[in-house]
Amino acid sequence: MGIPSFQTLTLPTFIFFFVSSYLLAYFRIFHNWDPKHRAEASSCFISLTHGTTAVFMAIYALTTHTTKSPSPPTFSSPNTFLHNTVLEFSISYFSIDLLHYLIFFPNDTLFILHHLATLYVFFTCRFIVQHGSFALLVLLILAEITSFCQNVWTLAGYRKADLPVAGKVFDLISLPFFAFYTIVRGIIGPLFVYKMGVFYINQMAGDSIPVWAWVSWMIVIVTAILISIVWVFDHWIDWFKRRKAMNKLA
C-alpha cells in the first residue's frame, strides 16, 4: 500500500471527456426533450460512451498483462499501468454520473449509493491498495458488457409513449436484453464472485490486499450482484405481464 498518487493526467483528462460528453448530450443531442428525460438521456449517453469502451479497454489491459507476465494474474496481483488507466476511466465516469444524480435526482438514493460504493472500490484499489485490479476489471467487463443494450432499451423506453419507432425498439430488444443480462449478472457474475470470495477467505491474498479492503469490496460486490438479480427479476415479471395482456387483446 502507499499514499494516493495522482502522477498522470489520465484522470483529469477522462473527467473532462465525460463532462464534455454530458454537456454535448444535454445541450445539443437531447435539447428538445422534456426536462426530466433530457437529463436522464444525457446520463444514458455518457453511460454509452463509458460502457462498451470500458469493456474493450479492460480486455486489452487484462490480455496485455497476461502475455507480458511470467505467471498468470491472481486476485491479489499488483495493478499494472493499463489496469490503473481503466480504473481511472471508470472513476471519471461514475464521478460525473454521480454529480448528475446529485443535481437532478437527489432523492434517487439507490443509484447514488451504488455510484458511491463503486467509486470507493475503484478508488481504493487504484490509489491505496494498488493490488487486486485483475478481479475488478473482470467484474467491470461483466457489468458493462450489457451497457449498450441497457442504454438503448432505456432510451427507447423514455420515448415509447410518443414515438412509435421507440416503442417497437423497446419491445424488440426487451427479451434478448433481459436474457443476456440474466446470464451475465445472474449466472456468470455470481460464479466469478464466489471464486473471489474463496480466494480471499482462504487468505490467498497474503499481505497484498489488507483484510479491510477485500472484505469491504466483497460486501459492495455481493450487494450489487443481488440488486442486479432483483432488478432483472422484476423486469421479467413486468415483461410476462405485458405479454399476457397483449395476448388477451390479440
Side-chain angles (χ1 to χ4, degrees), residues 1 8 13 40 42 52 55 60 68 89 94 101 103 144 149 158 163-165 179 191 210 214 221 224 232 241:
M1 288 194 305
T8 69
T13 300
E40 291 174 331
S42 300
T52 304
V55 168
Y60 178 74
K68 290 186 177 181
F89 184 71
F94 281 105
Y101 277 99
I103 293 173
E144 297 298 341
C149 292
Y158 291 154
L163 284 177
V165 66
L191 288 174
W214 70 257
I221 292 165
V232 76
K241 285 181 178 178

mmCIF file with all atom_site columns, all heavy atoms in Angstrom, residues 1 8 13 40 42 52 55 60 68 89 94 101 103 144 149 158 163-165 179 191 210 214 221 224 232 241:
data_model
loop_
_atom_site.group_PDB
_atom_site.id
_atom_site.type_symbol
_atom_site.label_atom_id
_atom_site.label_alt_id
_atom_site.label_comp_id
_atom_site.label_asym_id
_atom_site.label_entity_id
_atom_site.label_seq_id
_atom_site.pdbx_PDB_ins_code
_atom_site.Cartn_x
_atom_site.Cartn_y
_atom_site.Cartn_z
_atom_site.occupancy
_atom_site.B_iso_or_equiv
_atom_site.pdbx_formal_charge
_atom_site.auth_seq_id
_atom_site.auth_comp_id
_atom_site.auth_asym_id
_atom_site.auth_atom_id
_atom_site.pdbx_PDB_model_num
ATOM 1   N N   . MET A 1 1   ? 0.839   -1.201  0.000   1.00 0.00 ? 1   MET A N   1
ATOM 2   C CA  . MET A 1 1   ? 0.000   0.000   0.000   1.00 0.00 ? 1   MET A CA  1
ATOM 3   C C   . MET A 1 1   ? 0.875   1.252   0.000   1.00 0.00 ? 1   MET A C   1
ATOM 4   O O   . MET A 1 1   ? 2.003   1.230   0.461   1.00 0.00 ? 1   MET A O   1
ATOM 5   C CB  . MET A 1 1   ? -0.909  0.046   1.221   1.00 0.00 ? 1   MET A CB  1
ATOM 6   C CG  . MET A 1 1   ? -2.053  -0.943  1.200   1.00 0.00 ? 1   MET A CG  1
ATOM 7   S SD  . MET A 1 1   ? -3.260  -0.518  2.445   1.00 0.00 ? 1   MET A SD  1
ATOM 8   C CE  . MET A 1 1   ? -2.267  -0.470  3.914   1.00 0.00 ? 1   MET A CE  1
ATOM 9   N N   . THR A 1 8   ? -0.278  11.004  -13.088 1.00 0.00 ? 8   THR A N   1
ATOM 10  C CA  . THR A 1 8   ? -0.570  11.093  -14.512 1.00 0.00 ? 8   THR A CA  1
ATOM 11  C C   . THR A 1 8   ? -1.759  12.023  -14.737 1.00 0.00 ? 8   THR A C   1
ATOM 12  O O   . THR A 1 8   ? -2.486  12.373  -13.811 1.00 0.00 ? 8   THR A O   1
ATOM 13  C CB  . THR A 1 8   ? -0.896  9.703   -15.090 1.00 0.00 ? 8   THR A CB  1
ATOM 14  O OG1 . THR A 1 8   ? -2.157  9.257   -14.559 1.00 0.00 ? 8   THR A OG1 1
ATOM 15  C CG2 . THR A 1 8   ? 0.174   8.689   -14.729 1.00 0.00 ? 8   THR A CG2 1
ATOM 16  N N   . THR A 1 13  ? -8.086  14.105  -17.571 1.00 0.00 ? 13  THR A N   1
ATOM 17  C CA  . THR A 1 13  ? -8.443  14.043  -18.991 1.00 0.00 ? 13  THR A CA  1
ATOM 18  C C   . THR A 1 13  ? -9.751  13.290  -19.184 1.00 0.00 ? 13  THR A C   1
ATOM 19  O O   . THR A 1 13  ? -10.624 13.723  -19.949 1.00 0.00 ? 13  THR A O   1
ATOM 20  C CB  . THR A 1 13  ? -7.323  13.344  -19.799 1.00 0.00 ? 13  THR A CB  1
ATOM 21  O OG1 . THR A 1 13  ? -6.113  14.082  -19.652 1.00 0.00 ? 13  THR A OG1 1
ATOM 22  C CG2 . THR A 1 13  ? -7.697  13.264  -21.275 1.00 0.00 ? 13  THR A CG2 1
ATOM 23  N N   . GLU A 1 40  ? -32.058 12.490  -17.961 1.00 0.00 ? 40  GLU A N   1
ATOM 24  C CA  . GLU A 1 40  ? -31.890 11.032  -17.923 1.00 0.00 ? 40  GLU A CA  1
ATOM 25  C C   . GLU A 1 40  ? -31.211 10.517  -19.190 1.00 0.00 ? 40  GLU A C   1
ATOM 26  O O   . GLU A 1 40  ? -30.344 9.632   -19.135 1.00 0.00 ? 40  GLU A O   1
ATOM 27  C CB  . GLU A 1 40  ? -33.253 10.354  -17.738 1.00 0.00 ? 40  GLU A CB  1
ATOM 28  C CG  . GLU A 1 40  ? -33.868 10.587  -16.377 1.00 0.00 ? 40  GLU A CG  1
ATOM 29  C CD  . GLU A 1 40  ? -35.279 10.040  -16.274 1.00 0.00 ? 40  GLU A CD  1
ATOM 30  O OE1 . GLU A 1 40  ? -35.975 9.997   -17.315 1.00 0.00 ? 40  GLU A OE1 1
ATOM 31  O OE2 . GLU A 1 40  ? -35.688 9.669   -15.166 1.00 0.00 ? 40  GLU A OE2 1
ATOM 32  N N   . SER A 1 42  ? -29.190 12.192  -21.095 1.00 0.00 ? 42  SER A N   1
ATOM 33  C CA  . SER A 1 42  ? -27.786 12.627  -21.069 1.00 0.00 ? 42  SER A CA  1
ATOM 34  C C   . SER A 1 42  ? -26.945 11.680  -20.223 1.00 0.00 ? 42  SER A C   1
ATOM 35  O O   . SER A 1 42  ? -25.792 11.377  -20.555 1.00 0.00 ? 42  SER A O   1
ATOM 36  C CB  . SER A 1 42  ? -27.686 14.053  -20.533 1.00 0.00 ? 42  SER A CB  1
ATOM 37  O OG  . SER A 1 42  ? -28.415 14.946  -21.349 1.00 0.00 ? 42  SER A OG  1
ATOM 38  N N   . THR A 1 52  ? -19.196 0.303   -23.339 1.00 0.00 ? 52  THR A N   1
ATOM 39  C CA  . THR A 1 52  ? -18.523 -0.528  -24.343 1.00 0.00 ? 52  THR A CA  1
ATOM 40  C C   . THR A 1 52  ? -17.038 -0.209  -24.415 1.00 0.00 ? 52  THR A C   1
ATOM 41  O O   . THR A 1 52  ? -16.201 -1.112  -24.566 1.00 0.00 ? 52  THR A O   1
ATOM 42  C CB  . THR A 1 52  ? -19.174 -0.322  -25.723 1.00 0.00 ? 52  THR A CB  1
ATOM 43  O OG1 . THR A 1 52  ? -20.577 -0.611  -25.624 1.00 0.00 ? 52  THR A OG1 1
ATOM 44  C CG2 . THR A 1 52  ? -18.557 -1.246  -26.751 1.00 0.00 ? 52  THR A CG2 1
ATOM 45  N N   . VAL A 1 55  ? -15.256 -1.948  -21.613 1.00 0.00 ? 55  VAL A N   1
ATOM 46  C CA  . VAL A 1 55  ? -15.127 -3.386  -21.863 1.00 0.00 ? 55  VAL A CA  1
ATOM 47  C C   . VAL A 1 55  ? -13.882 -3.662  -22.704 1.00 0.00 ? 55  VAL A C   1
ATOM 48  O O   . VAL A 1 55  ? -13.054 -4.524  -22.361 1.00 0.00 ? 55  VAL A O   1
ATOM 49  C CB  . VAL A 1 55  ? -16.382 -3.946  -22.554 1.00 0.00 ? 55  VAL A CB  1
ATOM 50  C CG1 . VAL A 1 55  ? -16.128 -5.365  -23.078 1.00 0.00 ? 55  VAL A CG1 1
ATOM 51  C CG2 . VAL A 1 55  ? -17.562 -3.950  -21.598 1.00 0.00 ? 55  VAL A CG2 1
ATOM 52  N N   . TYR A 1 60  ? -8.261  -5.426  -23.188 1.00 0.00 ? 60  TYR A N   1
ATOM 53  C CA  . TYR A 1 60  ? -6.890  -5.156  -23.652 1.00 0.00 ? 60  TYR A CA  1
ATOM 54  C C   . TYR A 1 60  ? -5.913  -5.148  -22.476 1.00 0.00 ? 60  TYR A C   1
ATOM 55  O O   . TYR A 1 60  ? -4.822  -5.728  -22.553 1.00 0.00 ? 60  TYR A O   1
ATOM 56  C CB  . TYR A 1 60  ? -6.849  -3.823  -24.388 1.00 0.00 ? 60  TYR A CB  1
ATOM 57  C CG  . TYR A 1 60  ? -5.465  -3.434  -24.849 1.00 0.00 ? 60  TYR A CG  1
ATOM 58  C CD1 . TYR A 1 60  ? -4.871  -4.087  -25.933 1.00 0.00 ? 60  TYR A CD1 1
ATOM 59  C CD2 . TYR A 1 60  ? -4.733  -2.446  -24.192 1.00 0.00 ? 60  TYR A CD2 1
ATOM 60  C CE1 . TYR A 1 60  ? -3.585  -3.749  -26.353 1.00 0.00 ? 60  TYR A CE1 1
ATOM 61  C CE2 . TYR A 1 60  ? -3.461  -2.105  -24.599 1.00 0.00 ? 60  TYR A CE2 1
ATOM 62  C CZ  . TYR A 1 60  ? -2.894  -2.758  -25.682 1.00 0.00 ? 60  TYR A CZ  1
ATOM 63  O OH  . TYR A 1 60  ? -1.620  -2.431  -26.082 1.00 0.00 ? 60  TYR A OH  1
ATOM 64  N N   . LYS A 1 68  ? 2.546   -10.490 -20.937 1.00 0.00 ? 68  LYS A N   1
ATOM 65  C CA  . LYS A 1 68  ? 3.838   -9.962  -20.516 1.00 0.00 ? 68  LYS A CA  1
ATOM 66  C C   . LYS A 1 68  ? 4.295   -10.511 -19.163 1.00 0.00 ? 68  LYS A C   1
ATOM 67  O O   . LYS A 1 68  ? 5.461   -10.396 -18.819 1.00 0.00 ? 68  LYS A O   1
ATOM 68  C CB  . LYS A 1 68  ? 3.787   -8.428  -20.456 1.00 0.00 ? 68  LYS A CB  1
ATOM 69  C CG  . LYS A 1 68  ? 3.698   -7.776  -21.826 1.00 0.00 ? 68  LYS A CG  1
ATOM 70  C CD  . LYS A 1 68  ? 3.795   -6.269  -21.710 1.00 0.00 ? 68  LYS A CD  1
ATOM 71  C CE  . LYS A 1 68  ? 3.781   -5.609  -23.086 1.00 0.00 ? 68  LYS A CE  1
ATOM 72  N NZ  . LYS A 1 68  ? 3.888   -4.151  -22.990 1.00 0.00 ? 68  LYS A NZ  1
ATOM 73  N N   . PHE A 1 89  ? -10.551 5.598   -15.863 1.00 0.00 ? 89  PHE A N   1
ATOM 74  C CA  . PHE A 1 89  ? -11.608 5.861   -16.836 1.00 0.00 ? 89  PHE A CA  1
ATOM 75  C C   . PHE A 1 89  ? -12.973 5.665   -16.192 1.00 0.00 ? 89  PHE A C   1
ATOM 76  O O   . PHE A 1 89  ? -13.877 6.504   -16.335 1.00 0.00 ? 89  PHE A O   1
ATOM 77  C CB  . PHE A 1 89  ? -11.431 4.919   -18.025 1.00 0.00 ? 89  PHE A CB  1
ATOM 78  C CG  . PHE A 1 89  ? -12.404 5.140   -19.154 1.00 0.00 ? 89  PHE A CG  1
ATOM 79  C CD1 . PHE A 1 89  ? -12.319 6.265   -19.964 1.00 0.00 ? 89  PHE A CD1 1
ATOM 80  C CD2 . PHE A 1 89  ? -13.407 4.216   -19.418 1.00 0.00 ? 89  PHE A CD2 1
ATOM 81  C CE1 . PHE A 1 89  ? -13.205 6.470   -21.011 1.00 0.00 ? 89  PHE A CE1 1
ATOM 82  C CE2 . PHE A 1 89  ? -14.299 4.409   -20.468 1.00 0.00 ? 89  PHE A CE2 1
ATOM 83  C CZ  . PHE A 1 89  ? -14.202 5.532   -21.262 1.00 0.00 ? 89  PHE A CZ  1
ATOM 84  N N   . PHE A 1 94  ? -18.120 7.407   -13.266 1.00 0.00 ? 94  PHE A N   1
ATOM 85  C CA  . PHE A 1 94  ? -19.020 7.319   -12.113 1.00 0.00 ? 94  PHE A CA  1
ATOM 86  C C   . PHE A 1 94  ? -19.057 8.625   -11.329 1.00 0.00 ? 94  PHE A C   1
ATOM 87  O O   . PHE A 1 94  ? -20.084 8.965   -10.731 1.00 0.00 ? 94  PHE A O   1
ATOM 88  C CB  . PHE A 1 94  ? -18.619 6.149   -11.210 1.00 0.00 ? 94  PHE A CB  1
ATOM 89  C CG  . PHE A 1 94  ? -19.075 4.810   -11.723 1.00 0.00 ? 94  PHE A CG  1
ATOM 90  C CD1 . PHE A 1 94  ? -18.180 3.927   -12.296 1.00 0.00 ? 94  PHE A CD1 1
ATOM 91  C CD2 . PHE A 1 94  ? -20.419 4.450   -11.654 1.00 0.00 ? 94  PHE A CD2 1
ATOM 92  C CE1 . PHE A 1 94  ? -18.606 2.695   -12.784 1.00 0.00 ? 94  PHE A CE1 1
ATOM 93  C CE2 . PHE A 1 94  ? -20.863 3.232   -12.141 1.00 0.00 ? 94  PHE A CE2 1
ATOM 94  C CZ  . PHE A 1 94  ? -19.955 2.347   -12.702 1.00 0.00 ? 94  PHE A CZ  1
ATOM 95  N N   . TYR A 1 101 ? -26.753 12.765  -10.750 1.00 0.00 ? 101 TYR A N   1
ATOM 96  C CA  . TYR A 1 101 ? -27.829 12.349  -9.842  1.00 0.00 ? 101 TYR A CA  1
ATOM 97  C C   . TYR A 1 101 ? -27.982 13.314  -8.677  1.00 0.00 ? 101 TYR A C   1
ATOM 98  O O   . TYR A 1 101 ? -29.110 13.621  -8.248  1.00 0.00 ? 101 TYR A O   1
ATOM 99  C CB  . TYR A 1 101 ? -27.579 10.930  -9.327  1.00 0.00 ? 101 TYR A CB  1
ATOM 100 C CG  . TYR A 1 101 ? -28.038 9.874   -10.291 1.00 0.00 ? 101 TYR A CG  1
ATOM 101 C CD1 . TYR A 1 101 ? -27.134 9.237   -11.138 1.00 0.00 ? 101 TYR A CD1 1
ATOM 102 C CD2 . TYR A 1 101 ? -29.385 9.529   -10.393 1.00 0.00 ? 101 TYR A CD2 1
ATOM 103 C CE1 . TYR A 1 101 ? -27.558 8.281   -12.049 1.00 0.00 ? 101 TYR A CE1 1
ATOM 104 C CE2 . TYR A 1 101 ? -29.819 8.574   -11.299 1.00 0.00 ? 101 TYR A CE2 1
ATOM 105 C CZ  . TYR A 1 101 ? -28.899 7.955   -12.118 1.00 0.00 ? 101 TYR A CZ  1
ATOM 106 O OH  . TYR A 1 101 ? -29.328 7.016   -13.037 1.00 0.00 ? 101 TYR A OH  1
ATOM 107 N N   . ILE A 1 103 ? -27.467 16.465  -8.699  1.00 0.00 ? 103 ILE A N   1
ATOM 108 C CA  . ILE A 1 103 ? -28.070 17.716  -9.173  1.00 0.00 ? 103 ILE A CA  1
ATOM 109 C C   . ILE A 1 103 ? -29.530 17.527  -9.573  1.00 0.00 ? 103 ILE A C   1
ATOM 110 O O   . ILE A 1 103 ? -30.412 18.290  -9.149  1.00 0.00 ? 103 ILE A O   1
ATOM 111 C CB  . ILE A 1 103 ? -27.268 18.279  -10.359 1.00 0.00 ? 103 ILE A CB  1
ATOM 112 C CG1 . ILE A 1 103 ? -25.870 18.719  -9.900  1.00 0.00 ? 103 ILE A CG1 1
ATOM 113 C CG2 . ILE A 1 103 ? -28.003 19.470  -11.000 1.00 0.00 ? 103 ILE A CG2 1
ATOM 114 C CD1 . ILE A 1 103 ? -24.951 19.137  -11.034 1.00 0.00 ? 103 ILE A CD1 1
ATOM 115 N N   . GLU A 1 144 ? -20.397 -4.090  -17.616 1.00 0.00 ? 144 GLU A N   1
ATOM 116 C CA  . GLU A 1 144 ? -20.594 -3.142  -18.707 1.00 0.00 ? 144 GLU A CA  1
ATOM 117 C C   . GLU A 1 144 ? -20.869 -3.788  -20.059 1.00 0.00 ? 144 GLU A C   1
ATOM 118 O O   . GLU A 1 144 ? -21.227 -3.088  -21.004 1.00 0.00 ? 144 GLU A O   1
ATOM 119 C CB  . GLU A 1 144 ? -19.374 -2.228  -18.824 1.00 0.00 ? 144 GLU A CB  1
ATOM 120 C CG  . GLU A 1 144 ? -19.123 -1.358  -17.603 1.00 0.00 ? 144 GLU A CG  1
ATOM 121 C CD  . GLU A 1 144 ? -20.269 -0.393  -17.319 1.00 0.00 ? 144 GLU A CD  1
ATOM 122 O OE1 . GLU A 1 144 ? -21.089 -0.133  -18.224 1.00 0.00 ? 144 GLU A OE1 1
ATOM 123 O OE2 . GLU A 1 144 ? -20.346 0.107   -16.181 1.00 0.00 ? 144 GLU A OE2 1
ATOM 124 N N   . CYS A 1 149 ? -26.916 -2.504  -24.704 1.00 0.00 ? 149 CYS A N   1
ATOM 125 C CA  . CYS A 1 149 ? -28.315 -2.953  -24.789 1.00 0.00 ? 149 CYS A CA  1
ATOM 126 C C   . CYS A 1 149 ? -29.182 -2.225  -23.774 1.00 0.00 ? 149 CYS A C   1
ATOM 127 O O   . CYS A 1 149 ? -30.292 -1.792  -24.092 1.00 0.00 ? 149 CYS A O   1
ATOM 128 C CB  . CYS A 1 149 ? -28.401 -4.457  -24.549 1.00 0.00 ? 149 CYS A CB  1
ATOM 129 S SG  . CYS A 1 149 ? -27.664 -5.469  -25.847 1.00 0.00 ? 149 CYS A SG  1
ATOM 130 N N   . TYR A 1 158 ? -37.981 5.744   -22.713 1.00 0.00 ? 158 TYR A N   1
ATOM 131 C CA  . TYR A 1 158 ? -38.336 7.133   -22.422 1.00 0.00 ? 158 TYR A CA  1
ATOM 132 C C   . TYR A 1 158 ? -39.291 7.711   -23.470 1.00 0.00 ? 158 TYR A C   1
ATOM 133 O O   . TYR A 1 158 ? -40.147 8.552   -23.147 1.00 0.00 ? 158 TYR A O   1
ATOM 134 C CB  . TYR A 1 158 ? -37.084 8.012   -22.374 1.00 0.00 ? 158 TYR A CB  1
ATOM 135 C CG  . TYR A 1 158 ? -36.169 7.749   -21.208 1.00 0.00 ? 158 TYR A CG  1
ATOM 136 C CD1 . TYR A 1 158 ? -34.807 8.028   -21.294 1.00 0.00 ? 158 TYR A CD1 1
ATOM 137 C CD2 . TYR A 1 158 ? -36.652 7.234   -20.011 1.00 0.00 ? 158 TYR A CD2 1
ATOM 138 C CE1 . TYR A 1 158 ? -33.949 7.802   -20.227 1.00 0.00 ? 158 TYR A CE1 1
ATOM 139 C CE2 . TYR A 1 158 ? -35.812 6.998   -18.937 1.00 0.00 ? 158 TYR A CE2 1
ATOM 140 C CZ  . TYR A 1 158 ? -34.460 7.278   -19.054 1.00 0.00 ? 158 TYR A CZ  1
ATOM 141 O OH  . TYR A 1 158 ? -33.616 7.047   -17.996 1.00 0.00 ? 158 TYR A OH  1
ATOM 142 N N   . LEU A 1 163 ? -43.302 8.105   -29.517 1.00 0.00 ? 163 LEU A N   1
ATOM 143 C CA  . LEU A 1 163 ? -42.660 7.746   -30.777 1.00 0.00 ? 163 LEU A CA  1
ATOM 144 C C   . LEU A 1 163 ? -42.890 6.256   -31.052 1.00 0.00 ? 163 LEU A C   1
ATOM 145 O O   . LEU A 1 163 ? -42.344 5.408   -30.340 1.00 0.00 ? 163 LEU A O   1
ATOM 146 C CB  . LEU A 1 163 ? -41.150 8.027   -30.725 1.00 0.00 ? 163 LEU A CB  1
ATOM 147 C CG  . LEU A 1 163 ? -40.680 9.476   -30.842 1.00 0.00 ? 163 LEU A CG  1
ATOM 148 C CD1 . LEU A 1 163 ? -39.169 9.543   -30.698 1.00 0.00 ? 163 LEU A CD1 1
ATOM 149 C CD2 . LEU A 1 163 ? -41.111 10.087  -32.160 1.00 0.00 ? 163 LEU A CD2 1
ATOM 150 N N   . PRO A 1 164 ? -43.693 5.920   -32.062 1.00 0.00 ? 164 PRO A N   1
ATOM 151 C CA  . PRO A 1 164 ? -43.973 4.505   -32.363 1.00 0.00 ? 164 PRO A CA  1
ATOM 152 C C   . PRO A 1 164 ? -42.716 3.684   -32.587 1.00 0.00 ? 164 PRO A C   1
ATOM 153 O O   . PRO A 1 164 ? -42.634 2.530   -32.152 1.00 0.00 ? 164 PRO A O   1
ATOM 154 C CB  . PRO A 1 164 ? -44.821 4.583   -33.635 1.00 0.00 ? 164 PRO A CB  1
ATOM 155 C CG  . PRO A 1 164 ? -45.468 5.924   -33.576 1.00 0.00 ? 164 PRO A CG  1
ATOM 156 C CD  . PRO A 1 164 ? -44.461 6.829   -32.934 1.00 0.00 ? 164 PRO A CD  1
ATOM 157 N N   . VAL A 1 165 ? -41.706 4.262   -33.267 1.00 0.00 ? 165 VAL A N   1
ATOM 158 C CA  . VAL A 1 165 ? -40.484 3.507   -33.530 1.00 0.00 ? 165 VAL A CA  1
ATOM 159 C C   . VAL A 1 165 ? -39.758 3.186   -32.227 1.00 0.00 ? 165 VAL A C   1
ATOM 160 O O   . VAL A 1 165 ? -39.156 2.106   -32.093 1.00 0.00 ? 165 VAL A O   1
ATOM 161 C CB  . VAL A 1 165 ? -39.568 4.282   -34.495 1.00 0.00 ? 165 VAL A CB  1
ATOM 162 C CG1 . VAL A 1 165 ? -39.052 5.567   -33.855 1.00 0.00 ? 165 VAL A CG1 1
ATOM 163 C CG2 . VAL A 1 165 ? -38.407 3.406   -34.955 1.00 0.00 ? 165 VAL A CG2 1
ATOM 164 N N   . ALA A 1 179 ? -32.577 -11.582 -21.252 1.00 0.00 ? 179 ALA A N   1
ATOM 165 C CA  . ALA A 1 179 ? -31.921 -12.897 -21.270 1.00 0.00 ? 179 ALA A CA  1
ATOM 166 C C   . ALA A 1 179 ? -30.408 -12.739 -21.114 1.00 0.00 ? 179 ALA A C   1
ATOM 167 O O   . ALA A 1 179 ? -29.772 -13.463 -20.321 1.00 0.00 ? 179 ALA A O   1
ATOM 168 C CB  . ALA A 1 179 ? -32.259 -13.634 -22.556 1.00 0.00 ? 179 ALA A CB  1
ATOM 169 N N   . LEU A 1 191 ? -20.815 -16.633 -10.103 1.00 0.00 ? 191 LEU A N   1
ATOM 170 C CA  . LEU A 1 191 ? -19.790 -17.685 -10.100 1.00 0.00 ? 191 LEU A CA  1
ATOM 171 C C   . LEU A 1 191 ? -18.396 -17.088 -9.928  1.00 0.00 ? 191 LEU A C   1
ATOM 172 O O   . LEU A 1 191 ? -17.562 -17.613 -9.178  1.00 0.00 ? 191 LEU A O   1
ATOM 173 C CB  . LEU A 1 191 ? -19.860 -18.503 -11.388 1.00 0.00 ? 191 LEU A CB  1
ATOM 174 C CG  . LEU A 1 191 ? -21.063 -19.442 -11.530 1.00 0.00 ? 191 LEU A CG  1
ATOM 175 C CD1 . LEU A 1 191 ? -21.070 -20.086 -12.916 1.00 0.00 ? 191 LEU A CD1 1
ATOM 176 C CD2 . LEU A 1 191 ? -21.037 -20.514 -10.443 1.00 0.00 ? 191 LEU A CD2 1
ATOM 177 N N   . PRO A 1 210 ? -5.107  -5.839  2.192   1.00 0.00 ? 210 PRO A N   1
ATOM 178 C CA  . PRO A 1 210 ? -5.490  -5.913  3.606   1.00 0.00 ? 210 PRO A CA  1
ATOM 179 C C   . PRO A 1 210 ? -6.923  -6.410  3.769   1.00 0.00 ? 210 PRO A C   1
ATOM 180 O O   . PRO A 1 210 ? -7.754  -6.264  2.876   1.00 0.00 ? 210 PRO A O   1
ATOM 181 C CB  . PRO A 1 210 ? -5.339  -4.477  4.098   1.00 0.00 ? 210 PRO A CB  1
ATOM 182 C CG  . PRO A 1 210 ? -5.373  -3.632  2.862   1.00 0.00 ? 210 PRO A CG  1
ATOM 183 C CD  . PRO A 1 210 ? -4.800  -4.465  1.763   1.00 0.00 ? 210 PRO A CD  1
ATOM 184 N N   . TRP A 1 214 ? -10.463 -6.177  1.142   1.00 0.00 ? 214 TRP A N   1
ATOM 185 C CA  . TRP A 1 214 ? -11.198 -7.227  0.422   1.00 0.00 ? 214 TRP A CA  1
ATOM 186 C C   . TRP A 1 214 ? -12.561 -7.505  1.041   1.00 0.00 ? 214 TRP A C   1
ATOM 187 O O   . TRP A 1 214 ? -13.511 -7.836  0.320   1.00 0.00 ? 214 TRP A O   1
ATOM 188 C CB  . TRP A 1 214 ? -10.368 -8.500  0.264   1.00 0.00 ? 214 TRP A CB  1
ATOM 189 C CG  . TRP A 1 214 ? -10.085 -9.335  1.474   1.00 0.00 ? 214 TRP A CG  1
ATOM 190 C CD1 . TRP A 1 214 ? -8.923  -9.399  2.179   1.00 0.00 ? 214 TRP A CD1 1
ATOM 191 C CD2 . TRP A 1 214 ? -10.969 -10.279 2.091   1.00 0.00 ? 214 TRP A CD2 1
ATOM 192 N NE1 . TRP A 1 214 ? -9.015  -10.318 3.196   1.00 0.00 ? 214 TRP A NE1 1
ATOM 193 C CE2 . TRP A 1 214 ? -10.261 -10.885 3.158   1.00 0.00 ? 214 TRP A CE2 1
ATOM 194 C CE3 . TRP A 1 214 ? -12.282 -10.687 1.848   1.00 0.00 ? 214 TRP A CE3 1
ATOM 195 C CZ2 . TRP A 1 214 ? -10.819 -11.844 3.994   1.00 0.00 ? 214 TRP A CZ2 1
ATOM 196 C CZ3 . TRP A 1 214 ? -12.844 -11.654 2.669   1.00 0.00 ? 214 TRP A CZ3 1
ATOM 197 C CH2 . TRP A 1 214 ? -12.127 -12.222 3.728   1.00 0.00 ? 214 TRP A CH2 1
ATOM 198 N N   . ILE A 1 221 ? -19.606 -5.710  -3.770  1.00 0.00 ? 221 ILE A N   1
ATOM 199 C CA  . ILE A 1 221 ? -19.821 -6.503  -4.985  1.00 0.00 ? 221 ILE A CA  1
ATOM 200 C C   . ILE A 1 221 ? -21.004 -7.444  -4.828  1.00 0.00 ? 221 ILE A C   1
ATOM 201 O O   . ILE A 1 221 ? -21.854 -7.550  -5.721  1.00 0.00 ? 221 ILE A O   1
ATOM 202 C CB  . ILE A 1 221 ? -18.532 -7.291  -5.329  1.00 0.00 ? 221 ILE A CB  1
ATOM 203 C CG1 . ILE A 1 221 ? -17.421 -6.321  -5.749  1.00 0.00 ? 221 ILE A CG1 1
ATOM 204 C CG2 . ILE A 1 221 ? -18.800 -8.303  -6.429  1.00 0.00 ? 221 ILE A CG2 1
ATOM 205 C CD1 . ILE A 1 221 ? -16.038 -6.942  -5.757  1.00 0.00 ? 221 ILE A CD1 1
ATOM 206 N N   . ALA A 1 224 ? -24.211 -5.497  -4.953  1.00 0.00 ? 224 ALA A N   1
ATOM 207 C CA  . ALA A 1 224 ? -24.520 -5.080  -6.321  1.00 0.00 ? 224 ALA A CA  1
ATOM 208 C C   . ALA A 1 224 ? -25.079 -6.242  -7.141  1.00 0.00 ? 224 ALA A C   1
ATOM 209 O O   . ALA A 1 224 ? -26.031 -6.065  -7.913  1.00 0.00 ? 224 ALA A O   1
ATOM 210 C CB  . ALA A 1 224 ? -23.269 -4.514  -6.991  1.00 0.00 ? 224 ALA A CB  1
ATOM 211 N N   . VAL A 1 232 ? -33.520 -7.436  -12.520 1.00 0.00 ? 232 VAL A N   1
ATOM 212 C CA  . VAL A 1 232 ? -33.899 -8.154  -13.738 1.00 0.00 ? 232 VAL A CA  1
ATOM 213 C C   . VAL A 1 232 ? -35.091 -9.081  -13.475 1.00 0.00 ? 232 VAL A C   1
ATOM 214 O O   . VAL A 1 232 ? -35.929 -9.297  -14.355 1.00 0.00 ? 232 VAL A O   1
ATOM 215 C CB  . VAL A 1 232 ? -32.697 -8.926  -14.322 1.00 0.00 ? 232 VAL A CB  1
ATOM 216 C CG1 . VAL A 1 232 ? -32.388 -10.200 -13.536 1.00 0.00 ? 232 VAL A CG1 1
ATOM 217 C CG2 . VAL A 1 232 ? -32.949 -9.261  -15.788 1.00 0.00 ? 232 VAL A CG2 1
ATOM 218 N N   . LYS A 1 241 ? -46.119 -10.022 -17.763 1.00 0.00 ? 241 LYS A N   1
ATOM 219 C CA  . LYS A 1 241 ? -47.432 -9.387  -17.594 1.00 0.00 ? 241 LYS A CA  1
ATOM 220 C C   . LYS A 1 241 ? -47.847 -8.672  -18.875 1.00 0.00 ? 241 LYS A C   1
ATOM 221 O O   . LYS A 1 241 ? -49.022 -8.754  -19.294 1.00 0.00 ? 241 LYS A O   1
ATOM 222 C CB  . LYS A 1 241 ? -47.392 -8.394  -16.430 1.00 0.00 ? 241 LYS A CB  1
ATOM 223 C CG  . LYS A 1 241 ? -47.383 -9.049  -15.054 1.00 0.00 ? 241 LYS A CG  1
ATOM 224 C CD  . LYS A 1 241 ? -47.368 -7.987  -13.959 1.00 0.00 ? 241 LYS A CD  1
ATOM 225 C CE  . LYS A 1 241 ? -47.406 -8.621  -12.584 1.00 0.00 ? 241 LYS A CE  1
ATOM 226 N NZ  . LYS A 1 241 ? -47.339 -7.589  -11.501 1.00 0.00 ? 241 LYS A NZ  1
#
